Amino acid sequence: MSSKSLHPRHRLSSFGYAFRGLKTLVLQEPNAKIHFVASLAAIGFGLYRNISRMDWIALAIVIAMVWIAEALNTCVEMLCDLWCKEQFHPKVKIIKDIAAGAVLLAAICAVMTAGFIFL
């Protein structure tokens, strides 16, 4: 590891890259826009209902889980498209379907958790 990569300025700039990636995710991916609205709604409803600390922890975990799954799914899709040069490949379809399935599982878990908290 180089001393340059340990420099505080370099470490701070890496946060900038990460925030730029999240901004790109929200602005360019339609499903991320849905996750954004759902996240705000869950947080707003949590504030409105004055949920417990444990409920906030559960909500934060499932919200993060959905966002992480969506970000990784988007990366998988982009890498597959780049590799295939936008041409159909049956194995790539399977890979992309599995990655999308991971997002679906995370979202189902988040909805179930929200149901337990708010209903």
Side-chain angles (χ1 to χ4, degrees):
M1 184 177 268
S2 72
S3 61
K4 180 183 176 188
S5 65
L6 295 175
H7 193 275
R9 191 173 311 147
H10 183 73
R11 295 289 93 221
L12 285 175
S13 65
S14 67
F15 281 100
Y17 303 141
F19 283 116
R20 185 174 12 173
L22 292 174
K23 179 181 173 184
T24 301
L25 179 68
V26 171
L27 293 177
Q28 293 185 4
E29 292 300 314
N31 287 340
K33 289 178 176 75
I34 295 168
H35 297 313
F36 184 75
V37 170
S39 297
L40 289 180
I43 292 166
F45 205 54
L47 291 169
Y48 175 75
R49 294 281 305 269
N50 196 27
I51 61 176
S52 72
R53 176 176 287 181
M54 291 306 294
D55 287 342
W56 277 116
I57 291 169
L59 202 59
I61 289 170
V62 295
I63 288 172
M65 187 172 63
V66 170
W67 278 101
I68 291 165
E70 182 62 41
L72 293 174
N73 176 55
T74 299
C75 290
V76 166
E77 288 183 350
M78 289 179 158
L79 285 169
C80 286
D81 290 344
L82 185 65
W83 182 76
C84 283
K85 299 176 179 47
E86 305 281 338
Q87 294 179 356
F88 179 79
H89 190 287
K91 293 257 187 204
V92 168
K93 181 189 181 321
I94 293 169
I95 292 166
K96 291 170 81 171
D97 288 351
I98 291 170
V103 179
L104 179 62
L105 289 174
I108 290 169
C109 182
V111 168
M112 289 173 58
T113 301
F116 292 137
I117 292 170
F118 298 126
L119 299 179

